[in-house]
């Protein structure tokens, strides 16, 4: 029970001081508590209600607010926060010895939480009844858990652990950073830091949303090359923003394992399909399977590619053709099938993953540079032809990216030179995925026919290594 005496007590502990701060802000933003029509201020209670990540993801916050308002309670403070692990660790300190504790912290930090302070007579006990049994399977119909079966927490009550928890999260309500760093004000050093990533084809152990978590809610994305590397991380980031995905690869075991990881980490649907982008009938079958499963395709990410280092003089005809077939012809094949099958009548978004090789001469890369330059030209042509059908087409050109097969195959001799680029580091897969997310989302609704270079400025400064060319003098690529 939180009365006005909490604000005036001279012996406030640090945690109560945090609560006093929350109470003061709530009064500033919601008006005087004396204006509440439910009775005198000393009869009122306050309690904290937190809608956890899955409830926020499912857009159920409004339903929760409506139910509390219909009971006559007053919302005196609300904030969407990405709860820091330090706050969560303190908040759940009594559960630290439980076997489910790591999973609980991981879940609670997986997305934003909407914290609300509600005020009214007997709100503590009433809110407990409104929310229902902590086990949603046992929650009665008509309660919030019973109707929606999603995680929601209510904290309140004098002199109990619940009271300590309301104090902790009330402090977080005022001071914790929201999911969007822009809302925190100017923090140049934080904005310059790359997002976390992992080198293998595994999902991120934790993720902080920089965009709205439902940016791609209920969209369906078809991603070639989605079983590994950049394509895998694009699928994960899309799914963390509400999107269902179809990931395509020639290796069905690889793409099936990737789909299981992605679905487990994000809770979204992920359909694995075996497909070679050089084989139009296989593409048609995969697209038909997708449309049967999801009923639509909103986004196409052309990420399948092949590359290696080889001097032009040693490159066999078939090796050159193979790269052109995968990168250029494959991009056209999938785009063409999707246009005929769905995009022509419903619109859509295409993002082609290319490279900066075609913008400058690069030793040992005539095959990949030619293929990617052709895709960039294709992007512009398709943007012009298909724009009237409400189809946006853009290219994204990554630079040297850590944790990818490309950097393992191609980056060894050049990795030290990346440090001479403007940002003086390698990029990571999450950074590329965020940029693709932007192009695929409504944020880029007026962007088409563009090439977005995401390489830390490396293409501006990275020199050719003529000595490396000499080292490959006796090399031959015969595919």
């Amino acid at each position: 029970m939180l009365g006005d005496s909490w604000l005036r007590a001279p012996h406030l502990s640090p945690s109560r001081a945090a609560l006093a701060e929350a109470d003061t802000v709530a009064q500033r933003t919601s008006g005087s508590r004396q204006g509440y029509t439910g009775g005198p201020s000393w009869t009122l209670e306050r309690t904290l209600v937190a809608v956890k990540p899955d409830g926020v993801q499912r857009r159920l916050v409004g339903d929760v607010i409506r139910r509390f308002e219909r009971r006559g309670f007053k919302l005196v403070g609300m904030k969407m926060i990405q709860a820091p692990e330090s706050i969560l660790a303190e908040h759940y300190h009594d559960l630290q010895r439980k076997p489910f504790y790591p999973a609980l912290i991981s879940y609670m930090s997986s997305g934003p939480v909407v914290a609300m302070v509600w005020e009214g007579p007997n709100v503590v006990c009433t809110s407990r009844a409104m929310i229902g049994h902590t086990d949603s399977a046992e929650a009665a119909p008509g309660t919030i858990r019973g109707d929606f079966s999603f995680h929601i927490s209510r904290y309140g009550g004098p002199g109990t652990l619940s009271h300590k928890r309301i104090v902790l999260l009330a402090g977080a309500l005022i001071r914790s950073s929201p999911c969007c760093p822009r809302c925190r004000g100017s923090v140049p050093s934080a904005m310059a830091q790359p997002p976390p990533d992992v080198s293998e084809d595994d999902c991120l152990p934790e993720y902080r949303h920089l965009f709205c978590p439902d940016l791609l809610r209920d969209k369906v994305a078809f991603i070639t090359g989605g079983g590994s590397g950049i394509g895998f991380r694009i699928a994960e980031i899309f799914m963390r923003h509400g999107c269902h995905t179809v990931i395509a690869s020639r290796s069905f075991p690889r793409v099936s394992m990737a789909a299981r990881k992605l679905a487990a980490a994000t809770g979204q649907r992920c359909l694995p399909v075996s497909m070679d982008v050089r084989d139009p009938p296989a593409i048609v079958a995969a697209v038909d399977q997708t449309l049967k499963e999801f009923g639509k395709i909103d986004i196409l990410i052309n990420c399948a590619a092949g590359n290696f280092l080889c001097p032009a003089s040693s490159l066999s005809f078939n090796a050159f053709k193979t790269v052109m077939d995968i990168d250029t012809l494959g991009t056209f094949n999938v785009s063409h099938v999707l246009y005929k099958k769905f995009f022509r009548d419903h619109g859509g978004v295409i993002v082609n993953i290319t490279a900066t090789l075609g913008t400058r001469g690069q030793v040992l890369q005539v095959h990949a540079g030619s293929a990617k330059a052709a895709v960039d030209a294709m992007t512009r042509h398709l943007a012009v032809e298909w724009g009237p059908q409400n189809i946006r087409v853009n290219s994204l050109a990554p630079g040297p990216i850590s944790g990818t097969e490309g950097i393992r195959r191609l980056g060894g001799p050049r990795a030290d030179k990346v440090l001479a680029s403007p940002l003086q580091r390698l990029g990571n897969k999450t950074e590329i995925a965020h940029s693709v997310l932007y192009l695929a989302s409504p944020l880029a609704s007026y962007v088409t026919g563009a090439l977005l270079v995401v390489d830390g400025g490396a293409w501006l400064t990275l020199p050719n290594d003529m000595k490396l060319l000499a080292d490959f003098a006796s090399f031959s690529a015969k595919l």
Side-chain angles (χ1 to χ4, degrees):
M1 183 177 297
L2 311 176
D4 286 335
S5 60
W6 289 97
L7 298 177
R8 294 193 295 267
H11 56 280
L12 287 178
S13 65
S15 59
R16 290 184 178 181
L19 181 57
E21 181 186 358
D23 201 42
T24 301
V25 171
Q27 290 189 57
R28 280 203 308 267
T29 57
S30 304
S32 171
R33 295 176 64 195
Q34 298 293 340
Y36 181 77
T37 58
S41 63
W42 61 83
T43 66
L44 304 183
E45 296 176 357
R46 286 190 174 184
T47 191
L48 187 73
V49 173
V51 182
K52 295 181 181 179
D54 56 344
V56 176
Q57 178 75 21
R58 294 172 57 197
R59 294 182 174 180
L60 296 174
V61 176
D63 293 290
V64 175
I65 292 174
R66 278 190 292 273
R67 292 194 180 208
F68 274 82
E69 288 183 332
R70 286 171 183 167
R71 292 300 296 263
F73 297 129
K74 181 179 180 182
L75 180 62
V76 295
M78 181 172 73
K79 190 173 185 180
M80 178 181 284
I81 63 173
Q82 184 81 27
E85 289 194 15
S86 57
I87 290 288
L88 294 174
E90 188 177 1
H91 175 64
Y92 289 115
H93 74 283
D94 56 318
L95 302 177
Q96 288 179 356
R97 297 183 182 276
K98 300 292 185 181
F100 57 80
Y101 176 78
L104 173 64
I105 297 299
S106 176
Y107 161 66
M108 286 296 294
S109 59
S110 66
V113 174
V114 172
M116 298 176 281
V117 177
W118 288 95
E119 180 183 78
N122 201 32
V123 70
V124 174
C125 291
T126 304
S127 63
R128 183 181 294 115
M130 290 172 61
I131 291 169
H133 196 284
T134 53
D135 183 349
S136 59
E138 299 183 18
T143 63
I144 293 174
R145 283 198 179 101
D147 290 349
F148 298 121
S149 296
F150 74 105
H151 293 287
I152 181 169
S153 295
R154 188 214 58 80
Y155 307 105
T160 65
L161 284 175
S162 294
H163 170 68
K164 185 173 183 180
R165 288 174 179 167
I166 186 176
V167 169
L168 291 173
L169 272 189
L173 178 66
I174 305 304
R175 293 190 298 272
S176 289
S177 56
C179 61
C180 174
R182 183 177 177 184
C183 301
R184 298 197 300 265
S186 178
V187 191
S189 59
M191 292 294 286
Q193 297 301 313
D197 203 2
V198 293
S199 58
E200 302 302 323
D201 292 325
D202 290 314
C203 293
L204 301 170
E206 59 183 40
Y207 180 72
R208 180 177 188 147
H209 285 84
L210 302 177
F211 296 93
C212 178
D214 61 356
L215 187 62
L216 297 181
R217 180 180 175 86
D218 295 331
K219 300 295 185 184
V220 177
F222 192 101
I223 305 172
T224 68
S228 61
I230 291 173
F232 179 89
R233 187 68 73 241
I234 292 171
E236 179 187 355
I237 296 303
F238 276 30
M239 293 169 74
R240 289 188 182 276
H241 289 81
C243 189
H244 306 298
T245 62
V246 180
I247 54 175
S249 171
R250 285 180 292 174
S251 171
F252 190 70
R254 168 188 282 183
V255 81
S256 295
M257 180 179 294
R260 288 193 295 270
K261 291 179 181 179
L262 291 166
T266 66
Q268 300 295 324
R269 296 164 65 192
C270 183
L271 175 68
V273 295
S274 177
M275 186 190 82
D276 189 328
V277 297
R278 297 169 292 184
D279 183 0
I283 299 169
V284 170
V287 170
D288 285 343
Q289 182 182 355
T290 301
L291 293 175
K292 181 179 179 181
E293 181 75 18
F294 294 103
K296 64 173 184 173
I297 300 173
D298 302 288
I299 301 163
L300 167 62
I301 309 298
N302 285 306
C303 195
N307 197 6
F308 47 85
L309 296 175
C310 183
S313 58
S314 302
L315 192 65
S316 72
F317 300 122
N318 192 57
F320 184 88
K321 181 178 182 297
T322 297
V323 174
M324 294 294 294
D325 284 351
I326 296 173
D327 291 24
T328 308
L329 188 60
T331 296
F332 177 78
N333 288 344
V334 182
S335 300
H336 189 266
V337 169
L338 259 176
Y339 175 82
K340 290 288 188 69
K341 289 282 185 177
F342 196 79
F343 283 178
R344 175 173 54 193
D345 298 323
H346 302 89
V349 178
I350 300 174
V351 180
N352 298 321
I353 306 302
T354 63
T356 59
L357 299 171
T359 61
R360 58 196 294 270
Q362 182 69 50
V363 298
L364 310 175
Q365 291 283 267
V366 64
H367 46 300
S370 300
K372 295 300 190 183
V375 174
D376 287 335
M378 187 191 309
T379 292
R380 293 187 288 271
H381 290 296
L382 295 183
V384 171
E385 288 198 22
W386 293 353
Q389 282 77 49
N390 195 30
I391 302 169
R392 295 191 298 108
V393 189
N394 292 291
S395 288
L396 185 140
I401 303 301
S402 62
T404 62
E405 186 64 24
I407 201 66
R408 285 188 285 269
R409 288 187 182 185
L410 313 177
R414 304 170 64 205
D416 58 332
K417 293 180 175 58
V418 173
L419 299 180
S421 66
L423 294 188
Q424 300 183 348
R425 64 174 177 85
L426 293 171
N428 69 42
K429 293 174 289 187
T430 302
E431 291 177 300
I432 301 302
H434 282 162
S435 300
V436 177
L437 175 65
Y438 160 72
L439 288 176
S441 77
L443 294 169
S445 59
Y446 202 52
V447 179
T448 194
L451 167 60
L452 177 60
V453 176
V454 187
D455 74 341
W459 78 278
L460 298 169
T461 59
L462 195 64
N464 265 305
D465 192 337
M466 302 308 294
K467 181 179 180 299
L468 186 62
L469 179 61
D471 293 341
F472 274 78
S474 61
F475 182 81
S476 176
K478 299 179 180 179
L479 299 180

